[in-house]
């Protein structure tokens, strides 16, 4: 931690948030992140990305540079599915009775993007005014429904393998990120298609 603090002081490349580090607290951590990011940075879009995905920032930037007609936009790899209420199972939703049998459309948690107007709403939301579900992706999705945002589904940010158009690669649906990320990240980076392919495929340049 001491070395991290030295790097933060020198480069200002980390944002430290005073939150409890626990899976069930992820919705609170995510909200704290968006509030802090909105306060510190003026941007058109804010990206939440886990550190166990293989990300091509150049392609992500290209995606976000596109003109959009909706100021309230939620970009992600969208999904729906049955609500899990069995406490013995992973992804159990303790408040499943409030949702029903099937989840509403929402983005997978490893990476998604919110437009500035969406984040502004979250940044100024009163404490305890937003409902928190057990799972972060479901929680964010519920807020997006309440805000009547435009859902932009983009499968390039949940690609299971590197392609000429992949933006984020992870082992969907086996893992919520890369399985064994420390080794998989190195493996992917050695593949030219992952690390050295052009930002845009030849036909789009």
């Amino acid at each position: 931690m001491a070395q991290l603090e030295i790097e933060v002081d020198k480069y200002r490349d980390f944002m430290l948030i005073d939150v409890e580090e626990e899976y069930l607290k992820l919705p609170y951590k995510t909200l704290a992140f968006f509030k802090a990011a909105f306060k510190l940075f003026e941007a058109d879009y804010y990206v939440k990305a886990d550190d166990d995905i293989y990300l091509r920032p150049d392609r992500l930037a290209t995606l976000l540079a596109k003109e959009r007609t909706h100021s309230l936009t939620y970009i992600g790899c969208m999904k729906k599915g049955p609500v899990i209420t069995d406490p013995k199972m992973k992804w159990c939703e303790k408040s499943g009775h409030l949702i029903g049998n099937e989840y509403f459309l929402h983005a997978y948690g490893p990476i998604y993007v919110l437009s500035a107007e969406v984040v502004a709403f979250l940044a100024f939301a009163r404490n305890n005014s937003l409902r928190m579900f057990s799972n972060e992706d479901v929680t964010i999705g519920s807020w997006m429904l309440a805000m009547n945002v435009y859902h932009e589904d983009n499968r390039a940010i949940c690609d299971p393998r590197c392609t000429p158009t992949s933006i984020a690669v992870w082992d969907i649906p086996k893992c919520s990120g890369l399985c064994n990320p420390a080794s998989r990240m190195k493996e992917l980076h050695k593949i030219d298609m992952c690390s050295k392919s052009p930002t845009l495929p030849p036909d789009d340049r």
Side-chain angles (χ1 to χ4, degrees):
M1 188 64 183
Q3 290 182 330
L4 179 59
E5 290 175 349
I6 292 173
E7 179 169 338
V8 171
D9 289 338
K10 184 175 182 179
Y11 297 106
R12 302 292 178 183
D13 56 349
F14 278 82
M15 183 170 64
L16 303 181
I17 304 174
D18 185 17
V19 293
E20 186 177 351
E21 194 67 51
E22 179 189 345
Y23 178 77
L24 292 178
K25 296 292 185 179
L26 272 179
Y28 297 90
K29 179 181 178 180
T30 301
L31 180 59
F33 160 71
F34 282 122
K35 284 177 176 286
F38 186 79
K39 183 178 180 180
L40 291 172
F41 305 103
E42 183 177 348
D44 293 329
Y45 297 94
Y46 294 81
V47 181
K48 181 267 180 181
D50 291 347
D51 60 3
D52 58 353
I53 62 173
Y54 190 87
L55 181 65
R56 284 288 299 259
D58 55 334
R59 291 179 183 166
L60 177 61
T62 300
L63 170 67
L64 300 184
K66 292 181 178 179
E67 291 288 336
R68 290 178 172 83
T69 57
H70 303 278
S71 59
L72 298 173
T73 300
Y74 172 36
I75 306 170
C77 192
M78 301 295 169
K79 62 173 178 172
K80 295 174 72 175
V83 176
I84 299 172
T85 56
D86 185 346
K88 297 179 181 178
M89 296 182 67
K90 193 176 183 180
W91 320 125
C92 173
E93 183 53 67
K94 294 181 179 180
S95 299
H97 62 285
L98 297 175
I99 301 173
N101 295 324
E102 185 177 74
Y103 282 120
F104 37 79
L105 190 69
H106 63 284
Y108 279 98
I111 179 172
Y112 52 85
V113 182
L114 304 181
S115 63
E117 286 195 29
V118 175
V119 177
F121 175 86
L122 299 179
F124 293 110
R126 299 192 313 273
N127 289 337
N128 301 319
S129 65
L130 297 171
R131 179 172 293 280
M132 300 290 184
F133 289 98
S134 299
N135 298 296
E136 175 222 355
D137 54 354
V138 174
T139 301
I140 295 292
S142 70
W143 299 344
M144 297 303 101
L145 282 182
M147 295 173 63
N148 196 30
V149 305
Y150 177 74
H151 291 61
E152 183 177 317
D153 184 27
N154 191 310
R155 314 315 282 186
I157 61 176
C158 61
D159 213 318
R161 64 189 182 282
C162 294
T163 70
T165 58
S166 58
I167 297 172
V169 176
W170 43 285
D171 295 320
I172 181 175
K174 186 178 180 181
C175 298
S176 58
L178 291 171
C179 303
N180 303 312
S183 58
R184 284 280 288 135
M185 197 77 72
K186 294 178 182 178
E187 291 172 5
L188 291 174
H189 198 63
K190 291 178 181 178
I191 301 173
D192 286 352
M193 179 60 73
C194 296
S195 60
K196 297 181 180 179
S197 56
T199 299
L200 296 174
D203 293 342
D204 292 343
R205 280 185 274 167

